[in-house]
Amino acid sequence: MIGSACAWFLASCAGFDGSVLVVERDPSLETASTTRSGSSIRQQYTTGINIRISQFAAEHIHNFRDQTGGDADAPEIAIRSFGYLFLATEAGAPTLREAAALQRSLGVPTRLLDPAALGAAFPAINTDGVALASHNARDEGYFDGDGMHPWWRKQAKKRGVEFATDEVIAIDRDGDRVVAVRLRSGDRIATGAVVNAAGPRASGVAAMAGLSIPVEPRKRFCWIFDAATPPEGPFPLLIDPSGVYVYPRGGAYHTGCAPEDDRAVAPDDLAMDPEIFMEKVWPTLAARVPAFEALKVRAEWAGHYAYNTLDQNAVIGPHPELRNFLLVNGFSGHGLQQAPAMGRGISELIAYGEYRTLDMSVLGCQRILSGQPFLEKAVI
Ligand SMILES: Cc1cc2nc3c(=O)[nH]c(=O)nc-3n(C[C@H](O)[C@H](O)[C@H](O)COP(=O)(O)OP(=O)(O)OC[C@H]3O[C@@H](n4cnc5c(N)ncnc54)[C@H](O)[C@@H]3O)c2cc1C
């Protein structure tokens, strides 16, 4: 998703007249985060920059055809705006209040709901233990991310971008510049700039350039299930205080969670935890939404977050020690929706050496070197 976004936005950037090569080790995208994603977008973040990034994502999605070259056969990408519903206990309520105030100041119509209002708005949800909830139904919900990245690639190809099936295995430096990447096929490609869009494998690619970044693959589990009796009334993307989430997807429901022991795993380890659904997820779902007492799992899979251990936020921009090596990594579970802003931002940094639209400098690499987190508190 991120590599394709960078390719499209660079190819369509007025100030860029170079050539672009995208190197992908596995074009089936079988193990990529992108194809294992929940593919949802939200505006409810706790930092202004993440809200603005999502606002641009929504604008790009709503105007996908026009923003990707205007071809009549462009896919129509819609946002199914059922809204995210964050539930907080007493301890979490102040964070929710603070976040809602920030979101509203930026034009997001987030509503805060006390337990009575919550029960009235979403009768299927058990409000036990909930002190406060927040909900926003504008530009929040499922979208077809898998319809977007192939189109970006197709349109980028039309504008001369090349795509190679190969693997970057080494990076050649000369002082503070990258001069070439070496591929498994034996090719050596001379480079003006290199963008690391390697998802959960990003720290391995950074290490090839002698850099250390705090991004690691962490497992997240997903299940698709049918409910014997669908819940009554509207159903949002519900985030339980336990971290288990659930939302309607394609006539069924998608639920997911993190492992109890949340730690770095090997980038090819996608094994499921055989116990977690019965031990944690189902009991949580049934307690929170009694209609989910009777359900049938249809599908399950594990995927990787490219987890930024410093602050669970994206890292975008040139590395201070290697000025033409740009990172666009560490999305920690919200990279699909951030791809349009990231692609545009990378294209501006390469073409102009600065942001021309949305200034995302607060997400730059300097904070990695200084160890200063820029924390996103709403990470699912
Ligand atoms: C279970 C789950 C649910 C999620 N839900 C959401 C959601 O609802 N909304 C949201 O916005 N985000 C969500 N995300 C996060 C989102 O999917 C990711 O942030 C996003 O897909 C990251 O895209 P990417 O291109 O950076 O990484 P990837 O999709 O992993 O792509 C990286 C690519 O780099 C290639 N690569 C790696 N190393 C090399 C190399 N050395 N040479 C060549 N190629 C290489 C890989 O083969 C891979 O195809 C979710 C993630 C998971 C796992």
Side-chain angles (χ1 to χ4, degrees):
M1 189 74 170
I2 297 293
S4 303
C6 292
W8 160 251
F9 279 93
L10 254 179
S12 59
C13 177
F16 179 72
D17 61 0
S19 58
V20 181
L21 172 69
V22 181
V23 181
E24 168 55 60
R25 60 193 285 283
D26 175 14
S28 78
L29 305 181
E30 165 63 23
T31 61
S33 299
T34 294
T35 49
R36 291 171 175 261
S37 173
S39 205
S40 297
I41 177 171
R42 63 185 154 115
Q43 309 293 322
Q44 291 183 75
Y45 282 96
T46 62
T47 58
I49 190 68
N50 281 338
I51 296 169
R52 290 193 172 91
I53 285 170
S54 274
Q55 287 172 331
F56 175 61
E59 184 194 320
H60 187 75
I61 291 170
H62 292 313
N63 303 295
F64 193 65
R65 177 188 294 167
D66 290 345
Q67 297 213 359
T68 55
D71 286 14
D73 55 343
E76 255 186 42
I77 310 288
I79 301 175
R80 293 197 50 219
S81 288
F82 37 70
Y84 281 51
L85 180 73
F86 286 88
L87 305 186
T89 59
E90 208 62 70
T95 305
L96 224 52
R97 270 197 201 91
E98 207 181 304
L102 173 70
Q103 291 151 15
R104 282 199 294 260
S105 75
L106 293 173
V108 180
T110 304
R111 292 187 299 158
L112 289 173
L113 305 168
D114 64 16
L118 173 63
F122 299 102
I125 294 172
N126 177 355
T127 61
D128 285 359
V130 177
L132 195 66
S134 73
H135 183 246
N136 159 48
R138 190 201 292 162
D139 294 334
E140 284 202 2
Y142 177 79
F143 71 104
D144 181 16
D146 279 334
M148 291 169 71
H149 59 84
W151 189 256
W152 280 332
R153 285 197 294 279
K154 185 175 174 189
Q155 297 301 82
K157 270 183 203 161
K158 278 191 193 165
R159 297 189 186 208
V161 173
E162 286 180 63
F163 288 79
T165 300
D166 213 324
E167 183 174 0
V168 175
I169 54 166
I171 293 176
D172 294 346
R173 287 176 63 156
D174 181 9
D176 66 355
R177 296 193 67 77
V178 177
V179 289
V181 297
R182 293 175 187 267
L183 306 183
R184 188 165 293 287
S185 60
D187 287 351
R188 181 177 186 271
I189 312 287
T191 53
V194 172
V195 178
N196 178 357
R201 294 173 189 263
S203 55
V205 172
M208 294 175 200
L211 304 173
S212 169
I213 59 171
V215 176
E216 57 189 39
R218 290 207 184 178
K219 250 185 222 180
R220 292 296 180 267
F221 301 117
C222 300
W223 297 265
I224 302 287
F225 69 87
D226 292 319
T229 312
E232 183 195 335
F235 204 83
L237 192 156
L238 164 66
I239 304 111
D240 186 74
S242 64
V244 173
Y245 65 87
V246 59
Y247 64 95
R249 184 167 175 177
Y253 294 89
H254 177 136
T255 185
C257 71
E260 293 294 294
D261 176 19
D262 188 17
R263 58 187 164 79
V265 296
D268 51 3
D269 173 5
L270 287 160
M272 283 301 280
D273 177 329
E275 314 291 344
I276 195 166
F277 187 81
M278 294 304 277
E279 284 179 2
K280 176 176 174 177
V281 179
W282 190 18
T284 306
L285 290 175
R288 185 57 69 201
V289 183
F292 292 155
E293 181 68 50
L295 57 77
K296 188 169 173 13
V297 173
R298 265 198 212 175
E300 61 177 22
W301 69 90
H304 291 137
Y305 276 10
Y307 193 87
N308 175 349
T309 57
L310 180 69
D311 55 17
Q312 294 81 60
N313 249 324
V315 183
I316 173 169
H319 193 283
E321 289 172 12
L322 205 49
R323 301 303 305 177
N324 63 341
F325 185 76
L326 289 89
L327 303 178
V328 57
N329 304 125
F331 294 100
S332 309
H334 40 272
L336 213 71
Q337 64 203 274
Q338 296 202 323
M342 294 299 142
R344 185 180 64 175
I346 286 287
S347 74
E348 291 170 354
L349 290 174
I350 291 177
Y352 310 116
E354 63 182 16
Y355 292 115
R356 290 280 171 96
T357 50
L358 181 62
D359 183 352
M360 297 190 286
S361 312
V362 287
L363 298 175
C365 300
Q366 190 55 47
R367 75 188 201 279
I368 305 285
L369 295 188
S370 59
Q372 296 284 324
F374 179 68
L375 203 65
E376 173 53 57
K377 293 183 194 156
V379 172
I380 299 167

